Amino acid sequence: MPNGLNAVILWLIEWRPGKLNMNERIDKIDAKIHAFLTTENVPDAVKTDSTKPLAGKTMGVKGVLSMAGKPSWASSKVLENYMPVYSATVVKKLVEAGAIIAGQTNCDSFAEGASTENSGFGPTRNPWDLSRVPGGSSGGSAAAVVAGEVDFALGTDTGGSIRQPASFCNVVGLKNTYGRCSRYGLMAMGSSFDTPGAFTKSVADMAKVLQVIAGYDPLDATSSKATVPDYSAVLGKGVEGVKIGLPKEYFGDGVSPEVKAAVLAASKELEKQGANLAEVSLPKTELALAVYYILVPSEISSNMGRYTETRFGNSRDLFEAEVKRRIMIGTYALSSGYYDAYYNQALKVRTLIIEDFKKAFASVDLLLGPVSPTTAFKIGEKAADPLSMYLADVLTCPSNVAGVPAISIPAGFDKNNLPIGLQLIAPHFREDLLLQVASTYEKVTDWHNRKPEIK
Ligand code: GLN
């Protein structure tokens, strides 16, 4: 079809009577869920070059990713009214690929949390049940996608902040290999853990977004020069002969029976499609959370030093409680006298956890387990108890400690009609394998098509 005719048809579809434009849609839905802190005024007839891979796709951007000249506040009062002068590389690449910025999404301040309740601007609500959290820290991004406010959204995953909200909201969420996508312009939390990535409505959309954001960036010395494969090319390949390991530590007592049942059912479905299942062990799993909560606050205590009043205009007194807590934990762990006992020791255990994954990947191609031990919890349920909140990360943070990629895909619902996510974990730089297996599962199930009725 000639491009001109194509454009006219698209225009007619876009303008059929009664259809809300993006801003109206966001205003209407966001009055209930509060996924966005600020939105951009997107003109009704945005001109997009249809040859671009993401032409006209609207995207929410987690507030910790810098957007030149647009409010990017990391959901912290310390950065309220801040507008970066440059864009994060991932944002810049997506805009160049035709995507349209809808606004900054809500998150736990500076991405520190697992429920979006640590935001300095109030929580986001889970579109499946407004009395519950959407997960975190990228809760606004996940909620915005499942509620249909945007086509896709960006998040960051330092210990689970893409996968856990994806699983709580029923969208696809991919934590990329550390170094696969540039961190330039990502407001650092734990610099040796942070990974930018996306939330999408399907695995095929994820392949398209990753294709744009993956790759080396001279502005980020930790970004990798490893070649970027064609992610969409693997989608129809199936799982015949793929060896999938179920780490026994991921199915322990802390995991709710309904989550366990849904995840095991998903593994059986993949077996039916031709995959071979095996039980494996990641014996250091229980240490990963302790390692994470020593190393990440240590890095946070250093990274938060830059937010001085002289530079950003707002007082450090405005740091939210969880940020202050982590600055204190990190400063303590790094102080002379405790450095060896905590920080150094945690670094050594980090190496053992990396070994755990290497050993497992010597016998299987990828790992499968739950994303989160439970489905979405109530707003306020864990907010007063930081330790119980930290436990929400027990199955996601090991892959950040090791730097390996992992995806969350829709895999069922519990008796309260709350989504359950399936986690697949692959060796470094094997996002292609994650997408291949995830797309096979998505093709034979319809969980991802279910949408919340927001009431
Ligand atoms: N919930 C984890 C934490 O609080 C993960 C945060 C993240 O991935 N940004 O640290």
Side-chain angles (χ1 to χ4, degrees):
M1 194 186 306
N3 251 344
L5 188 53
N6 210 349
V8 171
I9 292 173
L10 281 176
W11 186 83
L12 283 172
I13 295 173
E14 209 45 47
W15 287 99
R16 65 181 191 271
K19 189 164 182 230
L20 300 176
N21 71 23
M22 188 202 73
N23 286 111
E24 288 163 346
R25 217 179 141 68
I26 292 182
D27 286 348
K28 186 168 168 245
I29 298 173
D30 236 42
K32 289 190 177 150
I33 68 170
H34 190 227
F36 282 90
L37 290 191
T38 55
T39 51
E40 295 302 312
N41 229 334
V42 177
D44 283 345
V46 204
K47 279 214 185 88
T48 47
D49 173 352
S50 60
T51 59
K52 293 187 171 177
L54 296 172
K57 298 283 176 215
T58 55
M59 68 166 169
V61 178
K62 184 180 183 181
V64 295
L65 289 158
S66 307
M67 296 179 278
K70 297 184 177 14
S72 315
W73 301 344
S75 290
S76 175
K77 290 281 181 191
V78 170
L79 287 185
E80 187 168 11
N81 299 324
Y82 171 59
M83 291 206 263
V85 292
Y86 62 90
S87 285
T89 297
V90 290
V91 171
K92 187 165 167 266
K93 282 179 159 183
L94 288 164
V95 170
E96 282 165 6
I100 298 163
I101 295 177
Q104 62 163 334
T105 55
N106 196 17
C107 59
D108 289 295
S109 70
F110 290 104
E112 298 168 24
S115 68
T116 316
E117 291 166 288
N118 296 338
S119 166
F121 302 88
T124 295
R125 294 175 180 275
N126 190 316
W128 293 91
D129 176 345
L130 299 178
S131 69
R132 292 177 188 267
V133 303
S137 62
S138 322
S141 288
V145 173
V146 79
E149 292 178 274
V150 282
D151 293 315
F152 74 99
L154 282 176
T156 58
D157 193 312
T158 301
S161 283
I162 289 180
R163 288 161 287 159
Q164 186 249 25
S167 84
F168 280 14
C169 291
N170 207 43
V171 293
V172 179
L174 175 60
K175 175 243 178 275
N176 298 299
T177 307
Y178 181 81
R180 177 74 296 183
C181 303
S182 169
R183 286 182 299 115
Y184 180 73
L186 189 176
M187 299 173 201
M189 173 186 171
S191 312
S192 75
F193 294 76
D194 298 340
T195 49
F199 294 89
T200 57
K201 293 174 187 169
S202 69
V203 177
D205 282 0
M206 185 61 79
K208 282 189 201 139
V209 174
L210 179 59
Q211 202 70 51
V212 172
I213 61 176
Y216 175 67
D217 177 10
L219 297 172
D220 171 9
T222 62
S223 69
S224 168
K225 287 187 175 155
T227 42
V228 178
D230 181 345
Y231 293 114
S232 297
V234 301
L235 297 180
K237 276 191 164 174
V239 293
E240 195 59 53
V242 175
K243 285 192 214 140
I244 300 179
L246 280 64
K248 61 172 196 265
E249 294 79 6
Y250 281 48
F251 294 87
D253 288 344
V255 180
S256 98
E258 283 183 283
V259 169
K260 221 182 274 187
V263 170
L264 288 174
S267 71
K268 291 286 170 219
E269 186 57 57
L270 284 166
E271 189 176 40
K272 215 169 106 192
Q273 301 303 317
N276 301 319
L277 303 184
E279 188 185 279
V280 294
S281 175
L282 295 167
K284 300 284 184 297
T285 298
E286 60 168 355
L287 298 177
L289 198 68
V291 166
Y292 178 89
Y293 276 102
I294 290 176
L295 295 181
V296 170
S298 298
E299 296 185 16
I300 288 173
S301 69
S302 160
N303 279 325
M304 295 297 130
R306 67 181 59 121
Y307 298 107
T308 60
E309 197 164 339
T310 344
R311 280 196 180 130
F312 293 92
N314 296 336
S315 165
R316 287 174 69 78
D317 293 347
L318 296 172
F319 270 133
E320 288 70 25
E322 182 62 23
V323 182
K324 288 184 184 160
R325 182 178 297 120
R326 293 188 189 203
I327 293 173
M328 287 190 283
I329 296 172
T331 308
Y332 182 82
L334 290 174
S335 60
S336 83
Y338 294 104
Y339 180 91
D340 278 329
Y342 294 112
Y343 184 77
N344 232 355
Q345 187 69 7
L347 276 185
K348 289 180 194 159
V349 183
R350 183 177 200 175
T351 306
L352 297 178
I353 292 166
I354 297 170
E355 287 301 317
D356 252 14
F357 278 101
K358 274 199 187 140
K359 274 186 209 143
F361 288 132
S363 64
V364 294
D365 299 311
L366 112 183
L367 300 165
L368 176 154
V371 176
S372 161
T374 65
T375 52
F377 43 89
K378 292 267 185 193
I379 291 178
E381 192 179 322
K382 297 181 197 276
D385 179 1
L387 278 183
S388 80
M389 191 72 88
Y390 296 170
L391 274 172
D393 308 324
V394 65
L395 303 175
T396 47
C397 74
S399 12
N400 300 77
V401 171
V404 293
I407 197 168
S408 172
I409 52 170
F413 286 80
D414 72 3
K415 59 179 183 311
N416 295 321
N417 196 35
L418 296 169
I420 297 172
L422 169 70
Q423 178 169 218
L424 301 169
I425 309 172
H428 292 102
F429 299 104
R430 291 308 312 274
E431 284 81 359
D432 58 332
L433 189 57
L434 292 179
L435 296 169
Q436 179 185 330
V437 175
S439 68
T440 305
Y441 180 74
E442 192 183 76
K443 210 166 126 192
V444 294
T445 54
D446 81 336
W447 309 116
H448 61 289
N449 291 325
R450 297 208 197 169
K451 295 287 176 268
E453 197 188 312
I454 303 168
K455 39 180 192 214

